[in-house]
Amino acid sequence: MRSSSNTSRYGLRTDCWALTISAANTIIKTLPSKQFPPDFIFGAATAAYQIEGAWDADGRGPSIWDHLVHTDPEHITNKDNGDVAANSYYNYKRDIEMLKELGVSHYRFSISWTRILPFGRAHYINQRGIDHYNKFIDELLANDIVPFATIYHWDLPQILQEHGGWLNEEIVDWFADYARIVFENFGDRIKFWMTINEPWVHCYFSYGYAVYAPKIRSPGVGFYECGRNMLLANARAYHIYNDEFRSTQGGKVGIDLNSEYVYPASDSIEDIEAAKDYLAFQFGQYMHPIFSKSGNYPQRLIHRVAAASTAQGYNSSRLRSFDEDQINYIKGTADFLGLNHYFTKYVYRNSSVIGMFDVPSTDDDTFADSYMDESWPSTHAPWIREHGPGLHHLLVHIKDSYDNPEVYIAENGVSTTTGLNDPTRVSYYRSYLRAVLEALADGCNVHGYFAWSLMDNFEWNFGYSHRFGLYEVDFQDPNRTRTPRKSAFVYREIIRSRTIDYEYDPDPYAGGSSVLTSSLLVLAIVVVAGLFS
Ligand code: PNW
């Protein structure tokens, strides 16, 4: 996580920045919230390792996360692991029932690479893994839930990591073979695919700063190599779909990118440039090669890394360039953007940044620091504060900079501790969904929204200490019982009415009846009991 600094050093500004970072003629309208269009999609999201459990069942092979939690348990809060998690491998019918209860039409889940290919590569296919997802997809369809599948959500086969993982360019072939197998087996029924979840987060934390599995530390070289291989792997999978499956299956293939939104901390040129650089290093690195007209990395990313590399005595840039063929091969390789968004930052660059970061590293290449506005509501997750307008600005930035691509917000949400009363999550979802309504009013091509997450799950290094679920999961209970939180009732009502009712206050302890109704009920019982006493 980047360090945050004292907000009081800087004048805080919120509004005019979107005009700076977006095309100059953009006008952000702030309209009163109104209805979501009838074809707007509401969904909920999860990922295989975080919910499935059954880590070694039915021929599944070990992934880098199994390896990490089993060989280095102290690395995870409370030594938690995903061996059982929410046990969704067995509880999937209850999961689908929950989707029905919420009234969502789409479910975003991920396929576990090592259930399908226990040895990573395509020379051995585990039929029991295929059978499992067949059963699961059929059950979704029988319940009118549209599957929205992520092919890769960070659970790389451990054996491929032993051959370098995302740092070995051969992974483009390994991933392509795996993608072909899932298209072949499930593409008759899955019409929405996302190739890779959050290249930036995965490359930054897993291959840059040794935070997530496989804990490789190479922030100045590995981080960029990982991203480059992911861009090539996504492109290869996309072309395979085009060449071999699109005409018969007729689905869509997108990629899932995370992005914060950023405001410059002041009006200074330095801070405005720093904010643009920050976004180019995080979002632009993957967005520009795929979604821009020219293709390739953003020029400011190319120039900054090249300049830093030269100054450090490298013969060539640590960000390896793409040749013309590769630029064209990658350009346009997504039918839509899956966007994961959680928070907004202020970004600055001044002399205090000197000496702040490792050399070489992507943080040093970016050469900017960030912090959050302490007036934005804090949450259980220290890295998330509620600031819905950031999502509005980000969507306008995407519209203006990348020719208004089709966007699905594939993740958005916040963590709490245990308990069914989750006012911070209710407030967070309302704030960000209002931002989506405003972005729609500004003409942003947003087609859907997936809440992260359907249920509590294994939150990577934080184990079960951070709960992201609309449904609480009891991890002490062998059945892993799921119970809807207040936010689940609120989300259900937003989906049903297609509008945000700020007054609605359901009581999760009374099956979601409004707090007013349940208080009246309690009062009536007390009165009646009093009469008979
Ligand atoms: C995403 N950050 O991860 C993942 O896609 C999910 O698997 C995860 O559970 C969810 O967000 C909640 O954390 C992120 O530090 C991890 O910027 C870290 C960051 C962003 C997203």
Side-chain angles (χ1 to χ4, degrees):
M1 217 94 0
R2 287 166 197 256
S3 58
S4 62
S5 55
N6 189 346
T7 53
S8 61
R9 276 191 288 165
Y10 301 97
L12 300 178
R13 313 189 52 253
T14 48
D15 289 324
C16 59
W17 160 237
L19 301 181
T20 326
I21 200 162
S22 309
N25 59 357
T26 301
I27 296 173
I28 306 258
K29 291 178 276 178
T30 305
L31 296 179
S33 68
K34 52 182 176 90
Q35 289 214 311
F36 288 92
D39 54 356
F40 188 84
I41 285 167
F42 286 103
T46 61
Y49 184 70
Q50 296 181 271
I51 63 162
E52 282 184 356
W55 78 279
D56 60 352
D58 296 342
R60 181 184 177 279
S63 76
I64 52 176
W65 276 94
D66 299 301
H67 184 79
L68 172 63
V69 300
H70 294 153
T71 57
D72 187 8
E74 288 79 19
H75 190 68
I76 313 290
T77 308
N78 301 323
K79 299 187 192 166
D80 288 338
N81 62 52
D83 287 0
V84 180
N87 219 9
S88 286
Y89 187 73
Y90 301 109
N91 285 337
Y92 68 93
K93 287 196 178 165
R94 170 65 182 134
D95 296 349
I96 294 172
E97 193 177 270
M98 283 142 56
L99 297 163
K100 297 297 286 180
E101 288 168 6
L102 288 172
V104 298
S105 56
H106 290 57
Y107 183 39
R108 176 180 173 224
F109 61 95
S110 81
I111 296 172
S112 154
W113 188 329
T114 57
R115 281 197 200 287
I116 309 290
L117 304 176
F119 309 113
R121 299 188 47 193
H123 50 212
Y124 178 81
I125 300 179
N126 178 32
Q127 188 55 40
R128 286 177 292 173
I130 306 262
D131 294 345
H132 168 73
Y133 289 108
N134 273 333
K135 219 170 37 178
F136 171 63
I137 295 161
D138 289 345
E139 187 74 14
L140 281 173
L141 294 175
N143 283 280
D144 293 321
I145 307 282
V146 179
F148 202 104
T150 312
I151 299 174
Y152 177 72
H153 198 123
W154 304 356
D155 45 1
L156 185 75
Q158 172 61 20
I159 194 159
L160 297 185
Q161 183 51 42
E162 282 154 24
H163 292 270
W166 285 102
L167 301 185
N168 182 346
E169 199 167 322
E170 274 190 56
I171 198 162
V172 179
D173 294 331
W174 304 333
F175 181 76
D177 290 346
Y178 165 49
R180 182 183 284 106
I181 288 167
V182 298
F183 293 148
E184 238 160 35
N185 282 279
F186 311 126
D188 55 335
R189 288 154 293 153
I190 295 183
K191 303 301 170 190
F192 289 97
W193 295 100
M194 288 200 290
T195 53
I196 297 172
N197 180 70
E198 298 187 342
W200 183 86
V201 173
H202 197 20
C203 294
Y204 187 89
F205 289 113
S206 300
Y207 292 90
Y209 287 92
V211 174
Y212 286 166
K215 284 181 71 184
I216 304 290
R217 190 169 174 86
S218 180
V221 177
F223 166 74
Y224 297 117
E225 285 293 300
C226 169
R228 190 177 190 279
N229 289 331
M230 285 190 181
L231 284 164
L232 290 166
N234 169 76
R236 179 78 72 78
Y238 185 86
H239 288 296
I240 287 175
Y241 193 79
N242 268 356
D243 298 344
E244 303 173 29
F245 301 98
R246 191 181 290 276
S247 62
T248 51
Q249 298 186 349
K252 290 184 180 190
V253 180
I255 187 165
D256 190 328
L257 304 183
N258 64 287
S259 187
E260 299 161 24
Y261 190 66
V262 291
Y263 300 117
S266 79
D267 269 343
S268 73
I269 303 286
E270 289 76 19
D271 288 351
I272 291 172
E273 284 300 304
K276 289 182 176 176
D277 288 337
Y278 190 98
L279 212 52
F281 273 76
Q282 183 175 94
F283 186 50
Q285 184 177 169
Y286 315 96
M287 190 67 191
H288 204 273
I290 299 174
F291 287 92
S292 72
K293 284 206 173 64
S294 55
N296 202 2
Y297 290 125
Q299 286 304 314
R300 58 175 66 237
L301 175 68
I302 294 173
H303 291 321
R304 287 198 73 83
V305 187
S309 303
T310 304
Q312 291 153 1
Y314 287 80
N315 288 330
S316 57
S317 179
R318 286 177 280 99
L319 176 69
R320 266 207 294 157
S321 61
F322 289 123
D323 64 30
E324 249 345 270
D325 287 346
Q326 288 170 319
I327 290 172
N328 290 324
Y329 187 72
I330 293 169
K331 196 165 63 180
T333 51
D335 299 318
F336 64 87
L337 169 68
L339 178 68
N340 295 1
H341 174 76
Y342 287 90
F343 53 86
T344 290
K345 292 277 195 78
Y346 279 89
V347 172
Y348 66 92
R349 176 182 291 147
N350 60 26
S351 57
S352 73
V353 177
I354 296 169
M356 191 176 261
F357 305 114
D358 293 347
V359 178
S361 71
T362 181
D363 282 352
D364 183 64
D365 295 337
T366 316
F367 209 63
D369 198 18
S370 66
Y371 60 93
M372 277 186 285
D373 186 334
E374 286 174 9
S375 74
W376 297 336
S378 62
T379 71
H380 177 58
W383 67 96
I384 303 178
R385 281 178 183 267
E386 178 195 305
H387 181 62
L391 176 57
H392 178 191
H393 292 313
L394 177 60
L395 290 167
V396 171
H397 166 67
I398 291 168
K399 163 176 164 267
D400 291 344
S401 308
Y402 301 102
D403 203 16
N404 211 9
E406 185 172 327
V407 176
Y408 295 83
I409 293 157
E411 276 183 35
N412 175 239
V414 70
S415 70
T416 56
T417 49
T418 52
L420 301 181
N421 246 325
D422 56 347
T424 54
R425 182 175 290 103
V426 168
S427 169
Y428 185 96
Y429 278 133
R430 283 178 175 153
S431 167
Y432 284 78
L433 281 164
R434 182 190 160 94
V436 174
L437 279 173
E438 287 169 354
L440 286 167
D442 282 334
C444 298
N445 195 11
V446 190
H447 286 229
Y449 176 94
F450 291 80
W452 183 273
S453 172
L454 174 61
M455 69 194 114
D456 291 342
N457 56 58
F458 178 77
E459 178 51 31
W460 309 114
N461 285 6
F462 295 101
Y464 301 104
S465 66
H466 279 266
R467 305 299 191 95
F468 274 88
L470 290 162
Y471 280 71
E472 175 164 75
V473 176
D474 182 353
F475 292 104
Q476 308 307 320
D477 175 357
N479 295 324
R480 298 298 192 271
T481 308
R482 290 108 155 94
T483 315
R485 291 200 167 98
K486 183 190 281 276
S487 56
F489 295 104
V490 168
Y491 191 43
R492 178 178 73 171
E493 184 55 20
I494 290 170
I495 296 168
R496 191 199 62 77
S497 63
R498 308 195 80 75
T499 190
I500 305 167
D501 174 0
Y502 294 88
E503 304 300 312
Y504 179 53
D505 189 20
D507 181 354
Y509 294 100
S513 53
S514 78
V515 168
L516 187 65
T517 321
S518 48
S519 330
L520 286 176
L521 198 68
V522 170
L523 190 67
I525 292 168
V526 169
V527 170
V528 172
L531 286 178
F532 286 94
S533 66

